[in-house]
Amino acid sequence: MSGESILRLCDVSFSYSPERQAVSRVCADIHAGERIAVLGPNGAGKSTLFLLLNGVLRPSEGSIRYLGKTITEKNINVLRRNVGIIFQDADSQMIAPGVREEISFGPMNLKLSREETARRVAYAISCMNLQGLEERPPHYLSGGEKKRVSIADIIAMEPAVFLFDEPAASLDCANEEKLEAVLDDLSGQGKTLLISTHDADFAWRWAQRVLVMQGGIVRADGTPPEIFAQEALCREANLKCPTLYRIKKMLEEHNLLKEKGRFPRTVEELKALLGER
């Protein structure tokens, strides 16, 4: 693993009603600095899991630990300060009348100095390419602009753990690339990143580890090659096989590549592999 365990879920369950258990007996260790993609069909429990990790919801059963300490009602703010969540619905995150005030809200609640708040806000605005929108009302922005503001909100908070629930939703290609650059930058700072996504190609090239959820449980936990090699699992969990994985398997089947242990994660890596041949 990348580092020490920062979050631990111990038999965590959560029910919205007696008839509906959204998360069931989930056990997982999340290590400092990891890049984790959480995959699964709609209704698998991914968003609920993120709300539990952030402290918005409390487990019906089981426990969550942060840096070895069990989270209780008394110390729930430890999660809320250190685990930031970017919601799939950007509108649910907007509360301020202007973009700059929206991004400033979190750092100001941390009672940071005016200078430190300004630094964080300027950095978040630059990261998410929001220059020129600082005085605009968030609710009048386009869907993609709102998404970028919601991500900037959490970047300015500088949590140790980032939870992104479908972060590329509503983003165009240029801003998807900008988002990936931001994710790489956060990872380089040692941040722990969990991303819920339906984009198997993104998970393949970006994640060190993949959690597959289905029916509220974690069906599988492993590296991208380990997960996507399980054809029955992918069918049952409605996971699309990544394009580069399928290309590599096809080249092997036609004896165009002899080395079977290496899987290219990017187009550049595939070119290098073909160049070696």
Side-chain angles (χ1 to χ4, degrees):
M1 293 296 181
S2 307
E4 66 176 351
S5 177
I6 191 168
L7 280 166
R8 173 170 288 180
L9 296 95
C10 306
D11 288 320
V12 169
S13 298
F14 179 82
S15 298
Y16 289 102
S17 68
E19 299 79 28
R20 182 189 173 199
Q21 192 162 53
V23 170
S24 180
R25 301 186 67 82
V26 170
C27 294
D29 275 312
I30 296 163
H31 294 79
E34 279 193 300
R35 298 157 65 126
I36 301 174
V38 184
L39 306 182
N42 291 334
K46 305 185 298 294
S47 295
T48 300
L49 180 68
F50 280 11
L51 293 172
L52 288 163
L53 288 172
N54 175 249
V56 173
L57 299 177
R58 294 301 317 280
S60 307
E61 299 177 30
S63 64
I64 296 174
R65 298 177 188 173
Y66 181 80
L67 291 178
K69 294 185 178 180
T70 299
I71 298 300
T72 65
E73 289 291 346
K74 291 183 178 180
N75 65 357
I76 189 68
N77 283 335
V78 170
L79 279 187
R80 293 169 183 167
R81 282 195 306 269
N82 292 287
V83 182
I85 183 169
I86 293 90
F87 293 101
Q88 186 171 353
D89 175 15
D91 282 314
S92 65
Q93 204 167 317
M94 306 292 178
I95 57 173
V99 167
R100 190 188 305 279
E101 294 139 300
E102 172 67 30
I103 300 170
S104 301
F105 184 80
M108 288 175 65
N109 274 354
L110 294 176
K111 309 217 183 299
L112 301 174
S113 69
R114 182 173 297 181
E115 293 77 14
E116 176 62 12
T117 295
R119 182 195 68 78
R120 292 191 183 195
V121 170
Y123 173 69
I125 287 171
S126 174
C127 278
M128 295 316 301
N129 195 26
L130 293 167
Q131 296 92 335
L133 300 178
E134 293 93 336
E135 310 310 321
R136 293 271 300 277
H139 290 290
Y140 292 147
L141 300 177
S142 69
E145 289 166 342
K146 288 178 183 177
K147 174 65 74 170
R148 284 151 53 201
V149 172
S150 71
I151 295 171
D153 279 350
I154 306 304
I155 289 174
M157 294 285 288
E158 297 190 356
V161 181
F162 285 78
L163 310 175
F164 291 86
D165 195 357
E166 292 288 346
S170 303
L171 295 183
D172 58 25
C173 291
N175 281 302
E176 280 187 20
E177 291 180 3
K178 181 73 172 176
L179 172 62
E180 273 197 59
V182 170
L183 295 176
D184 288 342
D185 184 49
L186 292 172
S187 181
Q189 296 173 34
K191 303 294 186 180
T192 305
L193 308 176
L194 285 83
I195 297 185
S196 165
T197 181
H198 291 287
D199 187 341
D201 288 322
F202 166 76
W204 176 259
R205 69 177 175 268
W206 177 83
Q208 300 166 327
R209 179 181 171 194
V210 172
L211 299 180
V212 179
M213 293 195 70
Q214 186 179 16
I217 67 172
V218 175
R219 285 283 312 276
D221 179 354
T223 65
E226 290 169 345
I227 295 299
F228 290 108
Q230 301 178 56
E231 294 182 6
L233 169 71
C234 292
R235 282 196 305 273
E236 292 165 10
N238 294 323
L239 300 184
K240 180 182 176 183
C241 204
T243 302
L244 286 176
Y245 181 87
R246 287 187 283 117
I247 290 173
K248 172 65 160 40
K249 297 296 287 185
M250 181 185 67
L251 291 171
E252 288 177 359
E253 289 166 5
H254 288 80
N255 296 316
L256 295 173
L257 283 178
K258 294 183 178 179
E259 186 173 349
K260 297 188 177 182
R262 285 169 57 191
F263 283 89
R265 303 288 287 274
T266 65
V267 171
E268 289 71 24
E269 290 181 11
L270 177 61
K271 288 179 180 177
L273 202 57
L274 290 170
E276 290 174 12
R277 174 181 175 276

